[in-house]
């Protein structure tokens, strides 16, 4: 196959498979009210529909990259696409919440394999500027999936039913499977898989998420115990990784203050955005009285700026100190989170325009840019390792934030996302997210103080 056709085929396959992954998250969030109405049960069970996918996505993403290096990138990618496809299509047959959560767990594992294998294939196939363009398209496509996911899922739910929000992305993944045999074989490097590190990280994260999701119903003793076990597992994981020759996650890069600042900031944008994408549809449907499609359309005010403003952020970064651009974007997101206190049963698009635009604009101004800033702080030979730490920290904190917000809503609403209690609880979540942003702004400012950085050089952002 000619190189040009091969490259185009790789791009089509990988970008299409990446596009459907955020659709599976936002589809689940829009479908939550319908799922709870059909299956009943407590709020914790319904929250696992989202949290099981995200937690397994985050936990296995850390391991999937090293597995792809060990056994082959195309093999891991194919396994991931197939697992995502089968789990999504199987949702059409589920008759209880437990089966749905199991399928979502498998979907999260598949999504991790798709991202790790797909990124590794792009890295192997493309070089130089072509690789930069390929990964730029990757970020754009993932952003588009996030931006238009709620509206697309809402239309599917209104037109068909809630199961279609899971099945439709799976159908697209099935089409990608047809292209996989045409992709070039990309052998692994033979690197050993850090099984112990992967097991420790996965156990620590899943224990933490379980404590947050089940804590409101299980009581403080079990919650505190699970949290203690989780923190202990994370500590052991860090100690084990420091002594590994080929660590799963190279924690040594965390000694780089600028890298830590950018990684923390990048995670914070998702810490605010993702819980809103998951729980705002439920609020707009249950309290404001919108249909799923209308709720998805309202959320475009929040998501479209994340896709439309990255070029503006790049222009600002070319003229201003990078740390100032990041802190300014964080300030927009924090202000938007605080103004969510205007959310109420009488909400209108105009009333929500300010908080939605503030949050979406803050995220959009640094979307993609902050990845380059973070990786530009480390030597080129360690960029791959740093990218793994950067993405793992962002997805992990995003997952923890999602579970934490769900726990707050569960406690303050008595397990029922409806009525005045839901409004009051959402105000508390908004204030908590805003306070988190304020804290991160202070940390980023301190970490960036007195650190020498050539913010105007191309090396800092490439």
């Amino acid at each position: 196959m000619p190189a040009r056709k091969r490259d185009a085929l790789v791009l089509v396959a990988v970008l299409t498979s990446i596009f459907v992954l955020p659709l599976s998250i936002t589809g689940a969030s829009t479908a939550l009210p319908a799922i709870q109405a059909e299956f009943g049960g407590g709020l914790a069970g319904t929250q696992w529909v989202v949290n099981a996918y995200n937690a397994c996505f985050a936990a296995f993403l850390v391991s999937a990259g090293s597995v792809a290096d060990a056994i082959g990138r195309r093999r891991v990618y194919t396994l991931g696409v197939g697992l995502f496809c089968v789990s999504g299509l199987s949702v059409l047959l589920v008759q209880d919440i437990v089966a749905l959560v199991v399928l979502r767990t498998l979907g999260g594992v598949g999504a991790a394999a798709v991202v790790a294998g797909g990124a590794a294939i792009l890295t192997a196939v493309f070089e130089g500027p072509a690789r930069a363009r390929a990964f730029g398209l990757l970020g754009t496509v993932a952003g588009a999936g996030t931006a238009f996911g709620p509206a697309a899922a809402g239309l599917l739910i209104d037109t068909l039913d809630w199961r279609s929000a899971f099945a439709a992305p799976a159908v697209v993944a099935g089409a990608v499977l047809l292209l996989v045999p045409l992709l070039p074989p990309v052998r692994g490097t033979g690197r050993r898989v850090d099984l112990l590190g992967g097991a420790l990280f996965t156990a620590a994260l899943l224990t933490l998420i379980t404590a947050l999701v089940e804590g409101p119903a299980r009581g403080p003793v079990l919650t505190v115990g699970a949290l203690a076990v989780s923190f202990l597992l994370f500590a052991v994981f860090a100690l084990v990784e420091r002594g590994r020759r080929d660590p799963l996650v190279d924690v040594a890069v965390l000694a780089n203050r600028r890298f830590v600042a950018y990684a923390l900031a990048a995670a914070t944008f998702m810490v605010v955005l993702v819980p809103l994408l998951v729980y705002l549809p439920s609020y707009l449907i249950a309290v404001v009285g919108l249909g799923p499609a209308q709720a998805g359309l309202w959320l475009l005010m929040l998501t479209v700026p994340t896709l439309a403003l990255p070029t503006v952020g790049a222009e600002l970064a070319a003229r201003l100190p990078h740390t100032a651009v990041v802190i300014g974007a964080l300030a927009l997101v924090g202000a938007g989170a605080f103004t969510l206190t205007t959310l109420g049963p009488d909400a209108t698009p105009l009333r929500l325009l300010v908080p939605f635009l503030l949050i979406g604009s803050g995220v959009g101004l640094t979307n993609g840019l902050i990845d380059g800033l973070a990786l530009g702080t480390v030597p080129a030979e360690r960029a791959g390792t740093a990218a793994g730490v950067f993405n793992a920290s962002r997805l992990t904190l995003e997952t923890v934030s999602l579970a934490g917000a769900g726990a707050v809503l569960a406690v303050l609403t008595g397990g029922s996302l409806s009525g005045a209690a839901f409004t009051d609880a959402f105000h508390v979540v908004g204030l908590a997210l805003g306070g988190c942003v304020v804290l991160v702004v202070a940390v980023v400012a301190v970490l960036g103080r007195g650190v020498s950085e050539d913010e105007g050089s191309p090396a800092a952002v490439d």
Side-chain angles (χ1 to χ4, degrees):
M1 180 183 298
R4 181 172 296 180
K5 289 186 177 180
R6 179 208 64 184
D7 294 353
L9 182 63
V10 168
L11 274 178
V12 169
V14 173
L15 296 183
T16 302
S17 61
I18 294 296
F19 175 74
V20 299
L21 301 185
L23 289 178
S24 189
I25 299 175
T26 53
S29 66
T30 309
L32 285 181
I35 293 171
Q36 191 166 22
E38 178 170 335
F39 294 143
L43 179 59
T46 308
Q47 287 178 326
W48 274 117
V49 174
V50 174
N51 286 311
Y53 179 89
N54 263 43
C56 289
F57 193 170
F60 286 93
L61 182 61
V62 176
S63 304
S66 59
V67 173
D69 285 342
I71 69 174
R73 284 78 178 270
R74 190 175 73 172
R75 186 175 298 173
V76 168
Y77 175 75
T78 304
L79 177 63
V81 175
L83 192 56
F84 182 86
C85 175
V86 171
S87 64
L89 290 176
S90 298
V91 170
L92 295 171
L93 305 175
V94 297
Q95 298 299 320
D96 59 72
I97 194 71
V98 174
L100 179 58
V101 170
V102 170
L103 291 175
R104 294 291 288 164
T105 299
L106 295 176
V109 175
V114 170
V115 171
I121 290 173
L122 292 182
T123 301
V125 171
F126 296 96
E127 296 180 353
R131 181 185 295 173
R133 288 193 294 270
F135 276 91
L137 288 172
L138 187 72
T140 300
V141 165
T146 301
F148 299 109
L155 287 172
L156 285 170
I157 294 169
D158 271 353
T159 304
L160 300 172
D161 68 1
W162 64 263
R163 288 175 173 81
S164 64
F166 301 94
V171 170
V172 177
V176 172
L177 274 179
L178 300 177
L179 300 177
V180 167
L182 303 177
L183 299 181
V186 183
R187 296 181 179 180
T189 61
R191 178 187 177 187
R192 296 178 60 184
V193 180
D194 184 4
L195 295 177
L196 178 59
L200 286 170
F201 183 84
T202 301
L205 181 59
L206 293 181
T207 303
L208 176 58
I209 300 305
T210 300
L212 294 173
V213 174
E214 297 291 339
R218 304 292 181 179
V221 175
L222 181 62
T223 303
V224 172
L227 289 174
V229 170
S230 175
F231 293 151
L232 177 62
L233 288 171
F234 275 123
V236 174
F237 169 74
L239 291 174
V240 167
E241 292 303 284
R242 289 181 66 88
R244 290 284 182 180
R245 181 178 179 181
D246 292 319
L248 187 70
V249 174
D250 188 355
V251 295
V253 299
L254 299 180
N256 185 321
R257 290 169 58 184
R258 287 173 59 210
F259 176 83
V260 171
Y262 290 138
L264 182 59
T268 302
F269 290 120
M270 295 300 102
V271 160
V272 174
L273 179 65
V274 172
L276 299 183
L277 289 178
V278 169
Y279 289 111
L280 273 172
S282 295
Y283 183 87
L284 295 175
I285 293 169
V287 178
V288 181
L290 305 183
Q294 192 176 6
L297 290 174
W298 281 30
L299 286 178
L300 290 176
M301 295 185 295
L302 174 64
T303 58
V304 167
T306 68
L307 190 62
L309 293 180
T311 54
V312 177
E315 289 297 322
L316 290 174
R319 294 168 171 78
L320 299 172
H322 297 155
T323 303
V325 173
V326 172
I327 289 178
L330 284 170
L332 290 176
V333 170
F338 283 128
T339 54
L340 284 174
T341 52
T342 61
L343 187 66
D346 56 346
T348 64
L350 185 61
R351 189 170 177 179
L352 295 179
L353 182 63
V354 171
F356 282 10
L357 283 184
L358 285 172
I359 295 171
S361 297
V363 174
L365 288 172
T366 56
N367 197 6
L369 169 69
I370 199 167
D371 302 57
L373 294 178
L375 299 183
T377 66
V378 299
E381 63 271 15
R382 303 191 70 188
T385 299
V389 175
F390 182 87
N391 290 320
S393 61
R394 176 162 54 187
L395 190 54
T396 298
L397 292 177
E398 166 193 318
T399 304
V400 172
S401 171
L402 178 60
V408 171
L409 292 174
V411 169
L412 297 182
T413 63
S416 175
L417 298 183
S418 60
F422 196 1
T423 299
D424 294 338
F426 224 118
H427 291 171
V428 172
V429 168
L431 292 173
L433 293 176
C436 176
V437 174
V438 171
L439 178 61
V440 170
V441 166
V443 173
V444 170
V446 170
L447 290 175
R449 183 183 302 165
V451 178
S452 175
E453 57 176 324
D454 184 8
E455 298 202 308
S457 68
V461 296
D462 286 346

